[in-house]
Amino acid sequence: MSCGSIFAQEVICPVKELDGSTKVFTLDRFDPKAAAAQLGPGPGAGACPSPQQVPAGSKAPFFLGTATASYQVEGAFKEGGRGESIWDVFSHTPGKTFEGQDGDVAVDFYHRYKDDIALMQTLGLRNFRFSLSWMRILPNGTGTVNQEGVAFYNKLIDTLKAACIEPHITLYHWDFPQALYERYGSWIDPRVVVDFAAYAETAFELFGDRVKNWFTLNEPESYCLLGYGSGVHAPGRCTDRSRCSAGEAGEDLKCIYYSALAHASAVKVFRQLVPDGVIAMTNAIGMSVPYNASSQEDVAAAQRNQAFNGGFVLDPLYTGDWGAERKQVHGQQLPAFTPEQKALLLENQQDFIALQHYTSNYAYYNKDKPPLLVDTTTKSIDGVQLVQADSPWLYVFPSAMRDLLNWLTQRYNQSILITENGVSAPGEYDKPRAEVLCDQFRVSYFQQYISNATVAVQQDGVQLLGYFAWSLLDNFEWADGYSKRFGTIYIDYNSTGLDRYYKGSSMWLSNHFGLTGIRSGPVANSTSSTGGPPAAAKPPAGAPAEADKQQARSEL
Ligand code: PNW
């Protein structure tokens, strides 16, 4: 392609839509310099249209965006006065992560955030969810504020706002300050409630003037069960001494308990400091679908399993107490909420449910097991096996998205923001770049999950506030290191510049939602891209053709 074009080294990507039609996208390396020249200075903060789009058919304006987390993307682990985190220590411990990989460099977002913001702009993205690294702001977890860390997040927030991209901040996405861990073991000690609330207060004071959309804790059910139950995530605690050097039975439950209290304490501070903002915890929830829908026993088993898992953290947040299913299974192991704690939870409720949804399963009754221990499977009663993603825990089950949105609405009667939904695509780790950029697997996943969410909104009356795809970029996938890619943008880990490439899914999402960036549109016809710049390259006509836009809007 022509020199200086941001459309070099193209892969032509025909993407199949659910209706059988095809859209063709041109995929290539993102060239920050060329993009900057095309994007220009932008309107600047204050002159931006609302970041909430109004897709046709939805009942409310939507936040549409992508998400990341500090330890998974930032790198720069020893720079800018950052303190150590439990994930630094865990990933540096031999045998804990895939091939001993760590987040020391990750995808270097700390240094490349300006380019990544420009990349979002080229796709017309208007919302970005990211997390703060607690230890960049408070290197020891409490005490003195590190001004260099504050300056980094100020620059990040201000650059986002100048690019008309709304920041959505998660306070805690699994990178706990090592100093506090060494002092009292983190989420299993009451001191964490006080320290997290103080950190939250600092963050609200520092950034609450410009940032109005906040999340407290990312998925306690994940970090508590994986970090303090099975021990496969930091801080790596479990009762099996052949695998974990520390950890006692019941710590996972304690972790959920103190997380709920820390969340409510942070919400309390938030109401005073950011009265015009909104806040929620994010929760990882799947759906248990009855294996045999005509068996009352299976239906009841699936319902129990759903309440047991889906209500694990949300029941305490909305009722001030554990759900009945949890009490039946764990009994005395559950730390009891005192009347004061119950009041704290009930008086400081979140503004909506922040749902992170990836996978689901079939549940069935097993007469040989106690009634609450339900068996699950990924094969339907008709023998159809759910398709497995690249991650062993992730099976593609799109219709369960609709069921789950309805279940949450019925149980809690709250509006829902989907803060993560995404998939690791088979082959993306092993195969050459040119073969994996056109990620039809991920596009199909998004198409089906989004379409089921759309039905839940349009036919079932679910109040959906928005949708964030996980993730903007390939990144450090925790214990799986870099071997699993969830990005809608490909990172070339072999290049010195950690080059970014558009995958088909980033282009499809942008186009589907009718976003208007210089890379939002499909190439009108695949042959036009061989003899010159593709149709999508005509600035600023990267906006999708009106007909495509109409179609995208009518879908969500
Ligand atoms: C999320 N499940 O965790 C995390 O928030 C991200 O940091 C992570 O990269 C992403 O999912 C992909 O793994 C989850 O078993 C882990 O359903 C497991 C589940 C859900 C979310």
Side-chain angles (χ1 to χ4, degrees):
M1 290 278 80
S2 59
C3 200
S5 157
I6 63 169
F7 307 107
Q9 304 164 25
E10 292 172 354
V11 167
I12 302 300
C13 179
V15 159
K16 239 184 163 182
E17 293 285 355
L18 287 180
D19 65 6
S21 67
T22 301
K23 278 197 189 116
V24 183
F25 297 103
T26 308
L27 310 177
D28 53 11
R29 186 176 73 84
F30 168 69
D31 179 338
K33 281 197 190 120
Q38 283 199 35
L39 289 167
C48 299
S50 164
Q52 287 168 285
Q53 312 240 327
V54 189
S58 76
K59 294 207 173 102
F62 266 61
F63 287 119
L64 301 166
T66 54
T68 61
S70 50
Y71 190 74
Q72 296 183 273
V73 299
E74 280 183 9
F77 80 121
K78 279 191 172 163
E79 284 179 60
R82 175 187 179 277
E84 205 176 22
S85 90
I86 56 170
W87 266 98
D88 296 316
V89 173
F90 185 76
S91 63
H92 293 156
T93 306
K96 297 297 184 189
T97 63
F98 174 79
E99 293 185 353
Q101 293 173 350
D102 56 47
D104 293 3
V105 177
V107 299
D108 202 27
F109 181 79
Y110 185 77
H111 296 112
R112 294 168 201 276
Y113 71 93
K114 280 190 185 148
D115 292 348
D116 288 332
I117 290 171
L119 172 53
M120 284 187 249
Q121 277 185 286
T122 67
L123 292 164
L125 290 164
R126 304 287 320 284
N127 295 280
F128 180 50
R129 173 175 171 247
F130 61 95
S131 76
L132 304 179
S133 156
W134 184 340
M135 310 71 50
R136 274 199 200 287
I137 295 169
L138 299 166
N140 292 314
T142 55
T144 314
V145 172
N146 169 35
Q147 291 307 331
E148 261 190 276
V150 174
F152 169 67
Y153 290 116
N154 272 331
K155 280 186 292 180
L156 174 58
I157 291 164
D158 292 342
T159 311
L160 283 166
K161 299 223 47 134
C164 293
I165 299 172
E166 195 66 18
H168 298 247
I169 292 186
T170 311
L171 284 166
Y172 178 74
H173 198 130
W174 304 2
D175 43 354
F176 194 86
Q178 178 68 13
L180 293 185
Y181 178 70
E182 284 171 15
R183 206 184 301 161
Y184 55 72
S186 64
W187 295 105
I188 52 178
D189 187 278
R191 281 169 279 187
V192 75
V193 177
V194 178
D195 287 346
F196 178 72
Y199 157 56
E201 180 169 352
T202 305
F204 299 148
E205 276 170 352
L206 288 166
F207 311 121
D209 56 334
R210 287 152 291 157
V211 180
K212 303 299 174 190
N213 297 284
W214 290 79
F215 305 100
T216 53
L217 305 171
N218 186 72
E219 302 182 350
E221 54 277 86
S222 296
Y223 65 75
C224 292
L225 298 187
L226 299 172
Y228 304 80
S230 60
V232 297
H233 276 196
R237 298 175 70 92
C238 69
T239 54
D240 176 356
R241 283 293 164 273
S242 70
R243 294 189 300 108
C244 305
S245 58
E248 303 298 329
E251 285 186 357
D252 47 358
L253 299 174
K254 270 192 189 173
C255 172
I256 298 281
Y257 172 74
Y258 289 120
S259 294
L261 296 174
H263 158 86
S265 305
V267 172
K268 187 174 183 177
V269 182
F270 184 75
R271 298 296 179 219
Q272 285 150 21
L273 294 181
V274 196
D276 53 344
V278 288
I279 192 160
M281 174 191 276
T282 72
N283 292 111
I285 304 179
M287 187 73 203
S288 284
V289 176
Y291 176 72
N292 179 354
S294 25
S295 148
Q296 279 185 8
E297 283 169 331
D298 279 7
V299 170
Q303 280 171 355
R304 285 196 305 271
N305 204 41
Q306 188 58 27
F308 182 75
N309 290 322
F312 194 7
V313 195
L314 284 175
D315 283 354
L317 297 197
Y318 285 113
T319 70
D321 199 3
W322 302 102
E325 297 76 13
R326 284 283 159 186
K327 285 186 179 172
Q328 281 169 40
V329 171
H330 302 301
Q332 292 303 312
Q333 271 193 312
L334 283 173
F337 292 102
T338 65
E340 293 75 30
Q341 291 169 339
K342 181 171 181 166
L344 175 79
L345 291 164
L346 291 180
E347 285 162 19
N348 298 286
Q349 293 195 2
Q350 58 186 11
D351 291 298
F352 51 83
I353 291 173
L355 171 66
Q356 323 225 121
H357 177 56
Y358 291 84
T359 193
S360 294
N361 56 29
Y362 298 101
Y364 57 93
Y365 176 64
N366 181 342
K367 65 176 173 29
D368 298 327
K369 280 192 172 173
L372 258 160
L373 293 179
V374 164
D375 278 343
T376 61
T377 174
T378 55
K379 204 182 241 184
S380 80
I381 191 167
D382 307 319
V384 180
Q385 172 62 52
L386 296 174
V387 174
Q388 196 183 353
D390 208 26
S391 306
W393 53 272
L394 210 173
Y395 288 83
V396 182
F397 197 162
S399 64
M401 166 69 101
R402 178 180 177 187
D403 297 339
L404 174 59
L405 290 171
N406 277 287
W407 181 80
L408 285 169
T409 302
Q410 274 157 27
R411 190 173 179 92
Y412 301 108
N413 192 25
Q414 299 286 312
S415 46
I416 301 166
L417 177 64
I418 297 173
T419 39
E420 285 183 24
N421 175 236
V423 74
S424 51
E428 282 193 1
Y429 172 66
D430 309 293
K431 291 191 185 155
R433 184 185 68 231
E435 284 176 41
V436 299
L437 287 185
C438 190
D439 55 345
Q440 179 72 49
F441 184 90
R442 182 173 290 101
V443 170
S444 297
Y445 177 99
F446 283 141
Q447 286 169 338
Q448 296 176 80
Y449 274 69
I450 290 170
S451 136
N452 276 282
T454 307
V455 174
V457 171
Q458 294 180 347
Q459 294 181 27
D460 310 334
V462 165
Q463 301 282 323
L464 197 59
L465 300 172
Y467 178 89
F468 286 78
W470 182 270
S471 176
L472 173 67
L473 307 164
D474 287 339
N475 59 49
F476 178 76
E477 177 56 13
W478 306 112
D480 289 329
Y482 300 94
S483 68
K484 307 291 179 220
R485 294 171 178 267
F486 278 79
T488 57
I489 297 290
Y490 182 93
I491 304 278
D492 184 349
Y493 291 111
N494 295 322
S495 65
T496 47
L498 289 168
D499 293 343
R500 276 75 165 139
Y501 287 79
Y502 296 92
K503 293 186 195 177
S505 54
S506 62
M507 305 282 287
W508 181 84
L509 279 170
S510 168
N511 177 254
H512 178 76
F513 287 125
L515 307 183
T516 50
I518 57 175
R519 295 302 304 265
S520 300
V523 175
N525 113 35
S526 60
T527 51
S528 73
S529 64
T530 51
K538 272 187 261 150
E546 206 41 46
D548 295 323
K549 235 175 171 174
Q550 290 297 331
Q551 193 207 336
R553 285 178 185 283
S554 69
E555 279 162 22
L556 192 84

